[in-house]
Amino acid sequence: IPATEARGTLLLAVDDSYAAPLLTELAQLKKDLIGDGWKVIRHDFPATAKDTTIKNWIITEFNQPGALVKSLLIIGHFAIPYSGNFAPDGHTERIGAQPADVFYADIDGGWTDSTVTTNNTGLIYTPNVPNDGKWDQSVIPSSAELQVGRIDMHRLTGFALSEVELTRQYLNKNHAYRFKINNPARRALLNTHIDNSIPQTSSVAWRSFAPMLGSTNIAAINTNGCSGNGTCHIFMDSLQAHSYLWTYMAGGGSDTSCAYPVMTSSQCINLELNTIFMQLYGSYFVEWAKGGITGTTNHLLRAPLANAGMPLATCWTGGSPKWYFHHMGLGESIGFSTMQSQNNKGIYDPGNNQLLGGAHMVLMGDPSLRLHMVYPVTQLTATQTETIVQLNWTASADTAIVGYNVYQADSMSGAYHKLNPSILAATTYVDSMPSLMPGNVYMARAVKSEVTPSGSYQNMSEGIFISKPVVNTFTFSGDGAWSNAGHWTNSLKPPATLPAGYSIVIDPVPGGECMLDITQHIAAGANLILIPGKKFVLSQDLILH
């Protein structure tokens, strides 16, 4: 598969209380997303914003001509949609509405709040009645169009850090993973704990891990029947002693545990876990937003994201329904696999057909994250020589690098276009026609031939950026004399001969005019550049060859 250079537009919805304290980290996230091929549109919302407000913004941006909106990342605990009248984990006392960020993924589906009435009288549920702001649908009414994920550190009070500081920690972990500072081994850890009582539940892990990482790179353990502080700890011990890209754990659950004491929120607080992506399955913690009727702290589905180690994404999946992530083996994002799993209608084994496309299918974490990171180039420089800009960089430290791509945009957030027609083998590029617009940005990305159990694809590193240097062309300051600064603002007479490789650049001050006396010889290969939109008076006809 060829390299994916433009991934589309990612909408970034941020709790506005984070804007000031996380200014640096949010700017870095946006830069990293741009460096991976995304265009980013950010909007900050108050914590009181309603889900309909967010949805209206999404629809407006989605319908902009040429927008190509593909993804949504929510940062904060705000505007959480609730929908349906069901219990994904099968516990009837939990029947009611479930937290449903997939509401944002479905652009054109018919979501209503007029028919459902929850009759459950259990203690742990979220009732749903007409016109209460909770949606009726237990299943996504139409196919999801967006890849959606959320970073939410609310009520994780067992951690020493505050909600804002946990979010900062996550964003820094995210950056470290993208740049291979956090570089886990390409293998997976799989715990078949619950297979003894619910056979084949772990198939969601086997079926994804093998095409992504290879069947020989899966470490499988079974903690079923463990007791005390002995074999029960082998799972969490492995996540500290070794590193894994993917991890799967399933077992009897609570809001803060899975197969207690095999995995608990307390362990996420006190230990450092060396894994990036986690599939988790068990009772109760599917309700990630608030848990029980009074609200649960240190919720298990979100606690790994607050861990000081590597975790960046979690989801609730085992059999209700099954999720599939094999697309990541050929370069797609975890958000893409999330959307494909939500839209699974007769493509893959769904597990529980009744919960196919369930409104509870949500991703915790950044949906743009990919499986295989590449060491980026380093020490990118840009040197101006007359009207030529030369880029130089130090080669990527990764293996199987086939070359480099160089891009340019009019600003960091602008549209990037590739300058090199084919992959560059050298660690240098000469831009012989640099744009004269101020604020231009160059970006360099390494290209790796990524070989996986599923095939191969051209995998690009994060982009490294540098601003275009100040143009340092010669300008005339008097008969026969040249300087490196200033603008021509009156009648000018350049030297008798302009050598090849040099340029006359005319850029009057606003409202000014230039009269150029073109009577001298201009050698082949020299340039006369007139800035568009300015006024010029030539003393004689100019013949261009």
Side-chain angles (χ1 to χ4, degrees):
I1 297 177
T4 300
E5 298 182 83
R7 298 187 176 276
T9 297
L10 180 144
L11 302 179
L12 183 59
V14 181
D15 182 328
D16 61 7
S17 66
Y18 292 174
L22 298 180
L23 178 66
T24 300
E25 289 76 17
L26 289 169
Q28 181 66 71
L29 172 64
K30 181 177 180 179
K31 188 175 180 180
D32 289 348
L33 290 167
I34 293 170
D36 196 30
W38 293 96
K39 179 181 178 182
V40 181
I41 298 176
R42 173 181 163 182
H43 191 92
D44 296 351
F45 293 91
T48 56
K50 296 182 178 180
D51 56 5
T52 50
T53 301
I54 312 299
K55 184 71 170 280
N56 289 337
W57 170 66
I58 293 169
I59 293 173
T60 298
E61 296 295 345
F62 185 88
N63 290 328
Q64 292 296 318
L68 296 176
V69 175
K70 298 290 186 67
S71 189
L72 168 69
L73 171 55
I74 304 169
I75 302 181
H77 188 82
F78 64 96
I80 299 174
Y82 271 78
S83 190
N85 191 34
F86 67 120
D89 56 7
H91 290 268
T92 56
E93 74 274 17
R94 298 295 293 268
I95 290 176
Q98 304 296 326
D101 274 351
V102 74
F103 169 73
Y104 298 126
D106 179 16
I107 296 297
D108 54 7
W111 296 79
T112 60
D113 180 17
S114 58
T115 60
V116 165
T117 298
T118 300
N119 296 318
N120 194 340
T121 58
L123 295 177
I124 308 176
Y125 74 111
T126 302
N128 192 353
V129 297
N131 303 310
D132 64 348
K134 302 181 186 70
W135 305 100
D136 298 326
Q137 284 66 38
S138 296
V139 173
I140 309 166
S142 70
S143 295
E145 287 88 9
L146 296 188
Q147 310 167 21
V148 178
R150 182 188 290 261
I151 302 166
D152 181 0
M153 304 297 176
H154 184 63
R155 290 179 63 85
L156 298 178
T157 55
F159 292 85
L161 299 178
S162 67
E163 184 173 333
V164 168
E165 291 305 314
L166 287 173
T167 306
R168 187 194 313 278
Q169 176 180 265
Y170 178 94
L171 295 177
N172 287 332
K173 287 194 301 182
N174 189 309
H175 177 73
Y177 173 67
R178 291 172 178 274
F179 281 72
K180 292 191 78 167
I181 299 168
N182 283 350
N183 185 23
R186 293 190 175 186
R187 58 188 177 189
L189 177 64
L190 189 154
N191 192 338
T192 60
H193 182 101
I194 205 173
D195 283 15
N196 299 63
S197 54
I198 310 179
Q200 302 180 1
T201 303
S202 64
S203 65
V204 294
W206 292 107
R207 292 176 183 178
S208 291
F209 293 171
M212 287 192 292
L213 302 168
S215 58
T216 59
N217 292 315
I218 302 173
I221 61 175
N222 188 326
T223 55
N224 183 264
C226 68
S227 60
N229 294 326
T231 55
C232 285
H233 287 182
I234 186 174
F235 177 71
M236 298 302 280
D237 286 347
S238 296
L239 288 177
Q240 296 172 79
H242 309 286
S243 65
Y244 306 90
L245 270 172
W246 269 97
T247 298
Y248 165 85
M249 175 69 215
S254 71
D255 288 310
T256 58
S257 68
C258 183
Y260 182 88
V262 177
M263 182 180 182
T264 66
S265 294
S266 177
Q267 292 166 325
C268 293
I269 293 170
N270 297 313
L271 308 176
E272 287 198 12
L273 309 182
N274 296 318
T275 187
I276 302 297
F277 307 104
M278 302 187 77
Q279 297 185 48
L280 301 175
Y281 187 58
S283 298
Y284 297 106
F285 62 85
V286 62
E287 214 298 24
W288 54 267
K290 65 180 181 180
I293 194 168
T294 59
T296 299
T297 59
N298 308 317
H299 194 274
L300 184 64
L301 201 62
R302 293 186 287 114
L305 272 60
N307 182 261
M310 295 183 183
L312 293 173
T314 65
C315 63
W316 190 84
T317 172
S320 304
K322 299 180 186 292
W323 289 37
Y324 290 86
F325 298 96
H326 57 274
H327 324 85
M328 297 178 71
L330 286 174
E332 292 290 358
S333 68
I334 190 170
F336 179 88
S337 291
T338 297
M339 187 176 71
Q340 296 303 310
S341 298
Q342 291 163 342
N343 292 338
N344 179 20
K345 304 289 176 64
I347 305 174
Y348 317 119
D349 171 21
N352 187 338
N353 274 303
Q354 292 181 334
L355 293 176
L356 191 61
H360 65 291
M361 297 180 68
V362 296
L363 176 70
M364 298 288 99
D366 181 351
S368 71
L369 292 169
R370 298 187 291 113
L371 189 65
H372 305 122
M373 296 295 100
V374 179
Y375 284 115
V377 307
T378 57
Q379 297 178 314
L380 176 63
T381 62
T383 304
Q384 173 77 30
T385 304
E386 304 306 335
T387 57
I388 292 174
V389 174
Q390 180 166 327
L391 303 177
N392 294 283
W393 57 87
T394 299
S396 166
D398 227 309
T399 58
I401 297 296
V402 296
Y404 305 90
N405 286 329
V406 175
Y407 305 82
Q408 188 181 32
D410 59 5
S411 68
M412 177 66 71
S413 299
Y416 285 82
H417 61 277
K418 188 164 68 173
L419 298 179
N420 52 297
S422 58
I423 294 177
L424 301 169
T427 57
T428 186
Y429 178 80
V430 175
D431 185 4
S432 58
M433 293 293 290
S435 171
L436 296 175
M437 295 178 61
N440 280 12
V441 174
Y442 291 104
M443 175 175 67
R445 302 182 70 180
V447 184
K448 178 179 180 178
S449 177
E450 197 74 68
V451 180
T452 81
S454 290
S456 63
Y457 69 101
Q458 287 187 343
N459 185 16
M460 286 203 290
S461 71
E462 281 282 346
I464 300 300
F465 302 88
I466 193 168
S467 297
K468 183 183 75 67
V470 176
V471 176
N472 190 22
T473 57
F474 288 103
T475 56
F476 184 68
S477 61
D479 274 349
W482 294 83
S483 71
N484 290 333
H487 297 283
W488 292 344
T489 57
N490 47 31
S491 296
L492 306 169
K493 185 176 182 179
T497 301
L498 182 67
Y502 286 74
S503 299
I504 300 173
V505 180
I506 307 177
D507 186 7
V509 296
E513 293 186 1
C514 280
M515 177 175 285
L516 176 61
D517 182 5
I518 305 180
T519 58
Q520 81 291 356
H521 174 67
I522 299 180
N527 301 297
L528 173 63
I529 302 174
L530 306 180
I531 309 299
K534 301 297 179 71
K535 297 179 180 180
F536 306 99
V537 179
L538 301 180
S539 61
Q540 64 181 61
D541 289 340
L542 174 63
I543 300 175
L544 300 178
H545 298 277

